[in-house]
Amino acid sequence: MDKQQAIGIFDSGLGGLTVAKAIRQFLPNERLIYFGDTAHLPYGDKSPHTIQQYSAHITDFLIEQHCKVIVIACNSASSNAYHTVVDRADGRSLVLNVIDPVVDYVASTDYKEIGVIGTKSTIDTKMYEEKIQALKSGVLVSSMATPLFVPMIEEGFIFDDISNAIIRNYLSRREISDIQSLILGCTHYPIIKNQISKFYNFEVDIIDSGKIVAGSLRKLLANYNLLNDTVPSGSDMFYVSDMTRYFETIARMFFEEAIQLQVLDFWK
Ligand code: DGL
């Protein structure tokens, strides 16, 4: 591996662009290769086996692209397929998921009651609970799937009556009451972070993974002496496995600048 190789980032679709955006801001010398598996979106209601199969295939692609590190910018894939990606990469690239950096962060705080929201496939693994409690005993972690958030965000319902009603309905449930901090365990959710903060009257610390993951990635690359210290050797690439005319608008919402998506149908 060398410093000039790209950072590979993948997600089930475009939500992982919230992580890519933070990486772009934090590590401006790095070249990014993003892959959004829009043909198979959402991963949030798929079985572990299926998510593992898709993730293994995407890993092959990012390895072919000579990525020095693969960032799994999807909680559903991070919780169900991290070991699959590590095994498949087989030492040819480093691998970072979006869960471990957040777990390390909350373990460094004094929070005693932490909530986690995410897709069904993420919440079913209980990965956040297990990892947080393994690092810090005496912490109460409660979690709940909030499956309507992804389609709601993708349809543009943000800071309006519909999103208010859905957010209120989910977050007032007993499963995640009395929390000091809430982990947004899905890379789509940063888009509604402000609205969620408002629901809690800004009294609950809402944790999204973008900056935390970008900070961990910087440390990881520095540890392996793989931080690029010159200008990047090419431009960023953004691939999707299926394309509709809506995707570029959705991508803009997550990345906050216009990007050109290229279709790469390697599932054929
Ligand atoms: N971005 C995915 C995640 O973080 C959610 C979208 C999906 O269900 O595919 O889990």
Short mmCIF file of all heavy atoms in Angstrom, two decimals, residues 102 105-106 109-117 132 139-142 176-184 196 200 203-208:
data_model
loop_
_atom_site.label_atom_id
_atom_site.label_comp_id
_atom_site.label_asym_id
_atom_site.label_seq_id
_atom_site.Cartn_x
_atom_site.Cartn_y
_atom_site.Cartn_z
N VAL A 102 -17.50 5.33 16.68
CA VAL A 102 -18.56 5.94 17.51
C VAL A 102 -18.59 5.29 18.89
O VAL A 102 -18.74 5.97 19.91
CB VAL A 102 -19.93 5.83 16.77
CG1 VAL A 102 -21.07 6.27 17.68
CG2 VAL A 102 -19.90 6.67 15.50
N TYR A 105 -15.85 6.67 20.85
CA TYR A 105 -16.17 8.04 21.28
C TYR A 105 -17.11 8.03 22.49
O TYR A 105 -16.84 8.70 23.49
CB TYR A 105 -16.78 8.84 20.12
CG TYR A 105 -17.38 10.13 20.58
CD1 TYR A 105 -16.57 11.21 20.92
CD2 TYR A 105 -18.76 10.26 20.76
CE1 TYR A 105 -17.11 12.41 21.40
CE2 TYR A 105 -19.31 11.43 21.24
CZ TYR A 105 -18.48 12.50 21.56
OH TYR A 105 -19.03 13.66 22.06
N VAL A 106 -18.20 7.27 22.42
CA VAL A 106 -19.15 7.32 23.55
C VAL A 106 -18.54 6.70 24.81
O VAL A 106 -18.86 7.12 25.93
CB VAL A 106 -20.55 6.69 23.27
CG1 VAL A 106 -21.31 7.47 22.24
CG2 VAL A 106 -20.47 5.25 22.90
N THR A 109 -16.99 9.24 26.99
CA THR A 109 -17.84 10.24 27.64
C THR A 109 -18.38 9.68 28.97
O THR A 109 -18.15 8.52 29.29
CB THR A 109 -19.06 10.60 26.75
OG1 THR A 109 -19.92 9.44 26.68
CG2 THR A 109 -18.65 11.01 25.35
N ASP A 110 -19.12 10.53 29.68
CA ASP A 110 -19.70 10.08 30.96
C ASP A 110 -21.15 9.64 30.82
O ASP A 110 -21.84 9.45 31.82
CB ASP A 110 -19.65 11.23 31.98
CG ASP A 110 -18.22 11.53 32.38
OD1 ASP A 110 -17.42 10.57 32.36
OD2 ASP A 110 -17.92 12.70 32.69
N TYR A 111 -21.64 9.52 29.59
CA TYR A 111 -23.05 9.18 29.42
C TYR A 111 -23.35 7.82 30.03
O TYR A 111 -22.62 6.85 29.82
CB TYR A 111 -23.44 9.17 27.94
CG TYR A 111 -23.27 10.52 27.28
CD1 TYR A 111 -22.65 10.63 26.03
CD2 TYR A 111 -23.73 11.68 27.89
CE1 TYR A 111 -22.49 11.86 25.41
CE2 TYR A 111 -23.58 12.91 27.28
CZ TYR A 111 -22.95 12.99 26.04
OH TYR A 111 -22.79 14.21 25.43
N LYS A 112 -24.46 7.77 30.74
CA LYS A 112 -24.86 6.50 31.38
C LYS A 112 -26.08 5.89 30.68
O LYS A 112 -26.34 4.71 30.82
CB LYS A 112 -25.22 6.75 32.87
CG LYS A 112 -24.02 7.11 33.73
CD LYS A 112 -23.32 5.84 34.21
CE LYS A 112 -22.08 6.10 35.03
NZ LYS A 112 -20.92 6.41 34.21
N GLU A 113 -26.83 6.73 29.97
CA GLU A 113 -28.01 6.23 29.25
C GLU A 113 -27.93 6.68 27.80
O GLU A 113 -28.03 7.88 27.51
CB GLU A 113 -29.31 6.75 29.86
CG GLU A 113 -29.76 5.97 31.06
CD GLU A 113 -29.79 6.82 32.31
OE1 GLU A 113 -29.89 8.04 32.16
OE2 GLU A 113 -29.68 6.26 33.42
N ILE A 114 -27.71 5.72 26.94
CA ILE A 114 -27.47 6.05 25.53
C ILE A 114 -28.52 5.35 24.67
O ILE A 114 -28.82 4.16 24.88
CB ILE A 114 -26.06 5.57 25.11
CG1 ILE A 114 -25.00 6.30 25.96
CG2 ILE A 114 -25.81 5.80 23.63
CD1 ILE A 114 -23.62 5.72 25.84
N GLY A 115 -29.07 6.08 23.71
CA GLY A 115 -30.02 5.49 22.77
C GLY A 115 -29.34 5.30 21.42
O GLY A 115 -28.38 6.00 21.08
N VAL A 116 -29.83 4.32 20.68
CA VAL A 116 -29.31 4.09 19.31
C VAL A 116 -30.51 3.91 18.39
O VAL A 116 -31.42 3.14 18.71
CB VAL A 116 -28.45 2.79 19.23
CG1 VAL A 116 -27.87 2.64 17.82
CG2 VAL A 116 -27.36 2.75 20.27
N ILE A 117 -30.51 4.60 17.27
CA ILE A 117 -31.54 4.35 16.26
C ILE A 117 -30.84 3.97 14.95
O ILE A 117 -29.73 4.42 14.68
CB ILE A 117 -32.49 5.55 16.05
CG1 ILE A 117 -31.70 6.85 15.78
CG2 ILE A 117 -33.42 5.72 17.23
CD1 ILE A 117 -32.59 8.04 15.38
N ILE A 132 -20.48 -1.21 23.18
CA ILE A 132 -20.38 -0.15 24.21
C ILE A 132 -20.24 -0.79 25.58
O ILE A 132 -19.37 -0.44 26.38
CB ILE A 132 -21.59 0.81 24.16
CG1 ILE A 132 -21.58 1.62 22.85
CG2 ILE A 132 -21.59 1.75 25.37
CD1 ILE A 132 -22.85 2.40 22.58
N VAL A 139 -23.31 1.09 31.68
CA VAL A 139 -23.99 2.01 30.75
C VAL A 139 -25.23 1.31 30.22
O VAL A 139 -25.18 0.14 29.83
CB VAL A 139 -23.06 2.39 29.56
CG1 VAL A 139 -23.78 3.30 28.59
CG2 VAL A 139 -21.80 3.06 30.07
N LEU A 140 -26.34 2.03 30.22
CA LEU A 140 -27.58 1.46 29.71
C LEU A 140 -27.72 1.89 28.24
O LEU A 140 -27.78 3.08 27.96
CB LEU A 140 -28.73 2.01 30.55
CG LEU A 140 -30.02 1.23 30.48
CD1 LEU A 140 -29.85 -0.11 31.20
CD2 LEU A 140 -31.13 2.03 31.15
N VAL A 141 -27.76 0.91 27.36
CA VAL A 141 -27.90 1.25 25.93
C VAL A 141 -29.24 0.70 25.45
O VAL A 141 -29.51 -0.49 25.56
CB VAL A 141 -26.75 0.64 25.08
CG1 VAL A 141 -26.87 1.11 23.63
CG2 VAL A 141 -25.39 1.03 25.65
N SER A 142 -30.08 1.57 24.94
CA SER A 142 -31.37 1.11 24.41
C SER A 142 -31.42 1.44 22.92
O SER A 142 -30.92 2.49 22.50
CB SER A 142 -32.52 1.77 25.16
OG SER A 142 -32.23 3.11 25.40
N ILE A 176 -36.72 4.14 23.91
CA ILE A 176 -35.53 5.00 24.01
C ILE A 176 -35.82 6.28 24.82
O ILE A 176 -35.36 7.37 24.48
CB ILE A 176 -34.93 5.36 22.63
CG1 ILE A 176 -36.00 5.92 21.70
CG2 ILE A 176 -34.20 4.21 22.00
CD1 ILE A 176 -35.39 6.72 20.57
N SER A 177 -36.56 6.11 25.91
CA SER A 177 -36.82 7.30 26.74
C SER A 177 -35.68 7.48 27.75
O SER A 177 -34.88 6.57 27.95
CB SER A 177 -38.17 7.16 27.45
OG SER A 177 -38.17 5.98 28.18
N ASP A 178 -35.61 8.63 28.35
CA ASP A 178 -34.62 8.94 29.39
C ASP A 178 -33.18 8.71 28.94
O ASP A 178 -32.42 7.98 29.57
CB ASP A 178 -34.86 8.09 30.65
CG ASP A 178 -36.23 8.38 31.23
OD1 ASP A 178 -36.64 9.55 31.17
OD2 ASP A 178 -36.88 7.43 31.71
N ILE A 179 -32.81 9.28 27.83
CA ILE A 179 -31.43 9.12 27.36
C ILE A 179 -30.70 10.46 27.43
O ILE A 179 -31.31 11.52 27.36
CB ILE A 179 -31.38 8.58 25.90
CG1 ILE A 179 -32.29 9.41 24.97
CG2 ILE A 179 -31.75 7.10 25.84
CD1 ILE A 179 -32.12 9.10 23.51
N GLN A 180 -29.37 10.36 27.59
CA GLN A 180 -28.55 11.60 27.59
C GLN A 180 -27.95 11.85 26.22
O GLN A 180 -27.52 12.95 25.90
CB GLN A 180 -27.40 11.43 28.59
CG GLN A 180 -27.86 11.26 30.01
CD GLN A 180 -26.74 10.67 30.84
OE1 GLN A 180 -26.18 9.62 30.54
NE2 GLN A 180 -26.40 11.36 31.90
N SER A 181 -27.88 10.76 25.46
CA SER A 181 -27.22 10.86 24.18
C SER A 181 -27.90 9.90 23.20
O SER A 181 -28.36 8.84 23.62
CB SER A 181 -25.76 10.46 24.39
OG SER A 181 -25.14 10.32 23.17
N LEU A 182 -27.98 10.29 21.94
CA LEU A 182 -28.60 9.43 20.93
C LEU A 182 -27.64 9.24 19.76
O LEU A 182 -27.21 10.22 19.14
CB LEU A 182 -29.92 10.05 20.43
CG LEU A 182 -30.66 9.23 19.36
CD1 LEU A 182 -31.27 7.95 19.96
CD2 LEU A 182 -31.77 10.07 18.70
N ILE A 183 -27.32 7.98 19.48
CA ILE A 183 -26.43 7.69 18.34
C ILE A 183 -27.28 7.54 17.08
O ILE A 183 -28.23 6.74 17.05
CB ILE A 183 -25.64 6.39 18.58
CG1 ILE A 183 -24.71 6.53 19.79
CG2 ILE A 183 -24.85 6.00 17.33
CD1 ILE A 183 -24.03 5.24 20.21
N LEU A 184 -26.93 8.30 16.06
CA LEU A 184 -27.61 8.14 14.77
C LEU A 184 -26.92 6.99 14.05
O LEU A 184 -25.89 7.18 13.39
CB LEU A 184 -27.52 9.44 13.96
CG LEU A 184 -28.07 10.71 14.62
CD1 LEU A 184 -28.01 11.89 13.65
CD2 LEU A 184 -29.51 10.49 15.09
N ILE A 196 -34.04 16.33 14.98
CA ILE A 196 -34.03 15.41 16.13
C ILE A 196 -33.58 16.16 17.39
O ILE A 196 -34.19 16.03 18.46
CB ILE A 196 -33.11 14.19 15.84
CG1 ILE A 196 -33.76 13.31 14.76
CG2 ILE A 196 -32.83 13.38 17.10
CD1 ILE A 196 -32.93 12.12 14.31
N TYR A 200 -35.74 17.00 21.13
CA TYR A 200 -35.28 16.85 22.52
C TYR A 200 -34.97 18.20 23.18
O TYR A 200 -34.29 18.25 24.21
CB TYR A 200 -34.00 16.00 22.55
CG TYR A 200 -34.23 14.53 22.23
CD1 TYR A 200 -33.72 13.96 21.06
CD2 TYR A 200 -34.93 13.71 23.12
CE1 TYR A 200 -33.92 12.62 20.78
CE2 TYR A 200 -35.13 12.37 22.83
CZ TYR A 200 -34.62 11.83 21.67
OH TYR A 200 -34.82 10.50 21.40
N GLU A 203 -31.50 19.07 24.46
CA GLU A 203 -30.97 18.61 25.76
C GLU A 203 -30.31 17.24 25.67
O GLU A 203 -29.77 16.73 26.65
CB GLU A 203 -32.12 18.56 26.80
CG GLU A 203 -32.49 19.95 27.29
CD GLU A 203 -33.86 20.01 27.92
OE1 GLU A 203 -34.52 18.95 28.04
OE2 GLU A 203 -34.28 21.13 28.28
N VAL A 204 -30.38 16.62 24.49
CA VAL A 204 -29.76 15.30 24.31
C VAL A 204 -28.66 15.47 23.27
O VAL A 204 -28.84 16.15 22.26
CB VAL A 204 -30.84 14.28 23.83
CG1 VAL A 204 -30.22 13.00 23.32
CG2 VAL A 204 -31.81 13.98 24.98
N ASP A 205 -27.49 14.86 23.54
CA ASP A 205 -26.37 14.98 22.59
C ASP A 205 -26.62 14.01 21.43
O ASP A 205 -26.67 12.79 21.64
CB ASP A 205 -25.06 14.63 23.33
CG ASP A 205 -23.85 14.78 22.43
OD1 ASP A 205 -23.95 15.43 21.37
OD2 ASP A 205 -22.78 14.21 22.79
N ILE A 206 -26.78 14.55 20.25
CA ILE A 206 -27.06 13.70 19.08
C ILE A 206 -25.72 13.42 18.36
O ILE A 206 -25.04 14.36 17.92
CB ILE A 206 -28.04 14.39 18.10
CG1 ILE A 206 -29.27 14.96 18.84
CG2 ILE A 206 -28.45 13.44 16.98
CD1 ILE A 206 -30.13 13.96 19.54
N ILE A 207 -25.39 12.15 18.29
CA ILE A 207 -24.06 11.79 17.75
C ILE A 207 -24.20 11.24 16.34
O ILE A 207 -24.87 10.22 16.13
CB ILE A 207 -23.41 10.72 18.66
CG1 ILE A 207 -23.24 11.28 20.07
CG2 ILE A 207 -22.07 10.26 18.09
CD1 ILE A 207 -22.81 10.23 21.07
N ASP A 208 -23.59 11.92 15.39
CA ASP A 208 -23.55 11.33 14.05
C ASP A 208 -22.12 10.97 13.71
O ASP A 208 -21.17 11.55 14.24
CB ASP A 208 -24.25 12.23 13.01
CG ASP A 208 -23.39 13.33 12.46
OD1 ASP A 208 -22.44 13.00 11.73
OD2 ASP A 208 -23.68 14.50 12.75
#
